[in-house]
Short mmCIF file of all heavy atoms in Angstrom, two decimals:
data_model
loop_
_atom_site.label_atom_id
_atom_site.label_comp_id
_atom_site.label_asym_id
_atom_site.label_seq_id
_atom_site.Cartn_x
_atom_site.Cartn_y
_atom_site.Cartn_z
N ALA A 202 -41.37 -78.69 -3.72
CA ALA A 202 -40.04 -79.01 -3.99
C ALA A 202 -39.19 -77.77 -4.36
O ALA A 202 -39.64 -77.01 -5.20
CB ALA A 202 -39.96 -80.08 -5.13
N MET A 203 -38.10 -77.64 -3.69
CA MET A 203 -37.22 -76.49 -3.93
C MET A 203 -35.78 -76.99 -4.30
O MET A 203 -35.48 -78.17 -4.21
CB MET A 203 -37.14 -75.62 -2.60
CG MET A 203 -38.45 -75.15 -2.15
SD MET A 203 -38.45 -74.50 -0.42
CE MET A 203 -38.42 -75.96 0.44
N ASP A 204 -34.97 -76.15 -4.75
CA ASP A 204 -33.61 -76.47 -5.14
C ASP A 204 -32.83 -77.13 -3.91
O ASP A 204 -32.11 -78.09 -4.06
CB ASP A 204 -32.80 -75.34 -5.58
CG ASP A 204 -33.21 -74.87 -6.98
OD1 ASP A 204 -33.83 -75.58 -7.68
OD2 ASP A 204 -32.90 -73.65 -7.29
N GLU A 205 -33.11 -76.67 -2.73
CA GLU A 205 -32.33 -76.98 -1.62
C GLU A 205 -33.12 -77.79 -0.57
O GLU A 205 -32.73 -77.86 0.64
CB GLU A 205 -31.61 -75.89 -0.92
CG GLU A 205 -30.61 -75.14 -1.82
CD GLU A 205 -29.51 -75.99 -2.27
OE1 GLU A 205 -29.01 -76.81 -1.53
OE2 GLU A 205 -29.13 -75.87 -3.53
N GLY A 206 -34.29 -78.36 -0.91
CA GLY A 206 -35.06 -79.07 0.02
C GLY A 206 -36.57 -79.23 -0.37
O GLY A 206 -36.93 -78.67 -1.43
N SER A 207 -37.25 -79.84 0.45
CA SER A 207 -38.73 -80.04 0.23
C SER A 207 -39.50 -79.81 1.49
O SER A 207 -38.97 -80.09 2.55
CB SER A 207 -38.99 -81.43 -0.29
OG SER A 207 -38.32 -81.69 -1.54
N VAL A 208 -40.73 -79.37 1.30
CA VAL A 208 -41.58 -79.27 2.48
C VAL A 208 -42.82 -80.09 2.17
O VAL A 208 -43.47 -79.96 1.03
CB VAL A 208 -42.05 -77.82 2.77
CG1 VAL A 208 -43.03 -77.66 3.92
CG2 VAL A 208 -40.78 -77.02 3.16
N PHE A 209 -43.25 -80.99 3.06
CA PHE A 209 -44.46 -81.76 2.88
C PHE A 209 -45.47 -81.33 3.92
O PHE A 209 -45.01 -81.19 5.13
CB PHE A 209 -44.13 -83.26 3.08
CG PHE A 209 -43.11 -83.78 2.10
CD1 PHE A 209 -41.75 -83.64 2.30
CD2 PHE A 209 -43.56 -84.54 0.96
CE1 PHE A 209 -40.88 -84.22 1.44
CE2 PHE A 209 -42.66 -85.07 0.07
CZ PHE A 209 -41.31 -84.89 0.27
N VAL A 210 -46.70 -81.26 3.63
CA VAL A 210 -47.77 -80.96 4.64
C VAL A 210 -48.86 -82.01 4.36
O VAL A 210 -49.33 -82.20 3.23
CB VAL A 210 -48.30 -79.53 4.43
CG1 VAL A 210 -49.42 -79.21 5.42
CG2 VAL A 210 -47.18 -78.50 4.59
N MET A 211 -49.29 -82.54 5.50
CA MET A 211 -50.38 -83.57 5.36
C MET A 211 -51.38 -83.31 6.51
O MET A 211 -51.02 -82.97 7.64
CB MET A 211 -49.82 -84.98 5.56
CG MET A 211 -50.76 -86.15 5.28
SD MET A 211 -49.96 -87.79 5.30
CE MET A 211 -49.10 -87.76 3.74
N SER A 212 -52.72 -83.46 6.11
CA SER A 212 -53.76 -83.29 7.12
C SER A 212 -53.76 -84.45 8.10
O SER A 212 -53.55 -85.58 7.69
CB SER A 212 -55.14 -83.21 6.41
OG SER A 212 -55.12 -82.10 5.55
N ILE A 213 -53.99 -84.15 9.37
CA ILE A 213 -54.09 -85.16 10.39
C ILE A 213 -55.55 -85.26 10.72
O ILE A 213 -56.13 -86.33 10.36
CB ILE A 213 -53.23 -84.82 11.69
CG1 ILE A 213 -51.74 -84.74 11.32
CG2 ILE A 213 -53.42 -85.90 12.73
CD1 ILE A 213 -50.88 -84.34 12.43
N SER A 214 -56.06 -84.37 11.51
CA SER A 214 -57.52 -84.36 11.86
C SER A 214 -57.89 -83.05 12.41
O SER A 214 -57.12 -82.33 12.91
CB SER A 214 -57.72 -85.52 13.01
OG SER A 214 -57.06 -85.17 14.15
N ASP A 215 -59.19 -82.78 12.24
CA ASP A 215 -59.73 -81.49 12.77
C ASP A 215 -58.94 -80.25 12.31
O ASP A 215 -58.81 -79.36 13.12
CB ASP A 215 -59.91 -81.48 14.29
CG ASP A 215 -60.91 -82.61 14.74
OD1 ASP A 215 -61.77 -82.94 13.95
OD2 ASP A 215 -60.70 -83.01 15.90
N GLY A 216 -58.33 -80.27 11.18
CA GLY A 216 -57.52 -79.15 10.73
C GLY A 216 -56.11 -79.17 11.17
O GLY A 216 -55.31 -78.35 10.75
N SER A 217 -55.70 -80.14 12.05
CA SER A 217 -54.24 -80.27 12.42
C SER A 217 -53.46 -80.71 11.23
O SER A 217 -53.93 -81.42 10.37
CB SER A 217 -54.10 -81.19 13.62
OG SER A 217 -54.84 -80.75 14.73
N LEU A 218 -52.21 -80.37 11.19
CA LEU A 218 -51.28 -80.64 10.07
C LEU A 218 -49.95 -81.20 10.57
O LEU A 218 -49.46 -80.78 11.64
CB LEU A 218 -51.04 -79.36 9.31
CG LEU A 218 -52.22 -78.64 8.70
CD1 LEU A 218 -51.79 -77.22 8.24
CD2 LEU A 218 -52.85 -79.48 7.52
N LEU A 219 -49.41 -82.19 9.77
CA LEU A 219 -48.14 -82.72 9.94
C LEU A 219 -47.26 -82.04 8.90
O LEU A 219 -47.61 -82.09 7.68
CB LEU A 219 -48.16 -84.24 9.76
CG LEU A 219 -46.77 -84.91 9.83
CD1 LEU A 219 -46.00 -84.72 11.13
CD2 LEU A 219 -46.97 -86.37 9.43
N GLY A 220 -46.09 -81.48 9.28
CA GLY A 220 -45.22 -80.83 8.31
C GLY A 220 -43.84 -81.48 8.53
O GLY A 220 -43.41 -81.74 9.52
N VAL A 221 -43.17 -81.62 7.28
CA VAL A 221 -41.83 -82.19 7.22
C VAL A 221 -40.97 -81.31 6.41
O VAL A 221 -41.36 -80.97 5.28
CB VAL A 221 -41.89 -83.65 6.74
CG1 VAL A 221 -40.53 -84.19 6.36
CG2 VAL A 221 -42.65 -84.57 7.67
N HIS A 222 -39.75 -81.09 6.80
CA HIS A 222 -38.76 -80.40 6.04
C HIS A 222 -37.72 -81.44 5.75
O HIS A 222 -37.14 -82.04 6.67
CB HIS A 222 -38.16 -79.18 6.78
CG HIS A 222 -37.06 -78.54 6.05
ND1 HIS A 222 -35.83 -78.28 6.65
CD2 HIS A 222 -36.87 -78.16 4.77
CE1 HIS A 222 -34.98 -77.75 5.78
NE2 HIS A 222 -35.64 -77.65 4.62
N ALA A 223 -37.46 -81.69 4.44
CA ALA A 223 -36.55 -82.72 4.02
C ALA A 223 -35.56 -82.27 3.02
O ALA A 223 -35.68 -81.19 2.48
CB ALA A 223 -37.37 -83.91 3.34
N THR A 224 -34.50 -83.08 2.82
CA THR A 224 -33.44 -82.71 1.90
C THR A 224 -33.94 -82.81 0.53
O THR A 224 -34.94 -83.49 0.20
CB THR A 224 -32.26 -83.78 2.03
OG1 THR A 224 -32.77 -85.06 1.74
CG2 THR A 224 -31.66 -83.79 3.47
N PRO A 225 -33.20 -82.15 -0.48
CA PRO A 225 -33.64 -82.23 -1.89
C PRO A 225 -33.62 -83.58 -2.52
O PRO A 225 -34.24 -83.94 -3.45
CB PRO A 225 -32.74 -81.19 -2.54
CG PRO A 225 -31.50 -81.12 -1.68
CD PRO A 225 -32.08 -81.32 -0.24
N ASP A 226 -32.68 -84.45 -1.99
CA ASP A 226 -32.54 -85.72 -2.57
C ASP A 226 -33.29 -86.90 -1.77
O ASP A 226 -33.08 -88.03 -2.02
CB ASP A 226 -31.07 -86.13 -2.62
CG ASP A 226 -30.34 -86.15 -1.27
OD1 ASP A 226 -30.97 -85.64 -0.32
OD2 ASP A 226 -29.29 -86.70 -1.17
N CYS A 227 -34.27 -86.49 -0.94
CA CYS A 227 -34.96 -87.49 -0.19
C CYS A 227 -35.88 -88.23 -1.20
O CYS A 227 -36.17 -87.77 -2.27
CB CYS A 227 -35.81 -86.88 0.88
SG CYS A 227 -37.27 -85.92 0.27
N ASP A 228 -36.23 -89.48 -0.72
CA ASP A 228 -37.17 -90.23 -1.62
C ASP A 228 -38.55 -89.77 -1.14
O ASP A 228 -39.06 -90.12 -0.15
CB ASP A 228 -36.94 -91.73 -1.28
CG ASP A 228 -37.83 -92.66 -2.20
OD1 ASP A 228 -38.92 -92.22 -2.60
OD2 ASP A 228 -37.40 -93.77 -2.42
N MET A 229 -39.23 -89.02 -2.07
CA MET A 229 -40.42 -88.36 -1.73
C MET A 229 -41.53 -89.36 -1.36
O MET A 229 -42.40 -89.10 -0.47
CB MET A 229 -40.85 -87.42 -2.79
CG MET A 229 -40.02 -86.23 -2.99
SD MET A 229 -40.55 -85.22 -4.33
CE MET A 229 -39.17 -84.09 -4.49
N SER A 230 -41.53 -90.42 -2.07
CA SER A 230 -42.53 -91.52 -1.77
C SER A 230 -42.37 -92.10 -0.40
O SER A 230 -43.31 -92.49 0.28
CB SER A 230 -42.57 -92.54 -2.88
OG SER A 230 -41.32 -93.27 -2.99
N VAL A 231 -41.14 -92.32 -0.01
CA VAL A 231 -40.85 -92.88 1.32
C VAL A 231 -41.28 -91.87 2.43
O VAL A 231 -41.93 -92.22 3.36
CB VAL A 231 -39.34 -93.21 1.48
CG1 VAL A 231 -39.02 -93.61 2.87
CG2 VAL A 231 -39.06 -94.37 0.50
N VAL A 232 -40.96 -90.61 2.22
CA VAL A 232 -41.37 -89.58 3.15
C VAL A 232 -42.86 -89.56 3.27
O VAL A 232 -43.43 -89.54 4.36
CB VAL A 232 -40.81 -88.20 2.76
CG1 VAL A 232 -41.40 -87.11 3.69
CG2 VAL A 232 -39.29 -88.23 2.86
N ALA A 233 -43.60 -89.53 2.08
CA ALA A 233 -45.04 -89.49 2.12
C ALA A 233 -45.64 -90.67 2.76
O ALA A 233 -46.61 -90.63 3.51
CB ALA A 233 -45.56 -89.35 0.65
#
C-alpha cells in the first residue's frame, strides 16, 4: 500500500504470479 496506489501479487501456479496495480482508495478485500 502506497500513498498513491497499491500493488497486489498473488501466486497462480508453478511460480507464475498475478499482479494488480490499483488506486489508493480501492476496496482491498474486493480486489483480493
Side-chain angles (χ1 to χ4, degrees):
M203 302 166 283
D204 288 340
E205 299 300 323
S207 297
V208 175
F209 300 81
V210 179
M211 190 174 283
S212 298
I213 299 176
S214 64
D215 297 333
S217 297
L218 301 167
L219 172 64
V221 170
H222 174 228
T224 61
D226 61 345
C227 72
D228 186 330
M229 293 178 190
S230 62
V231 170
V232 172

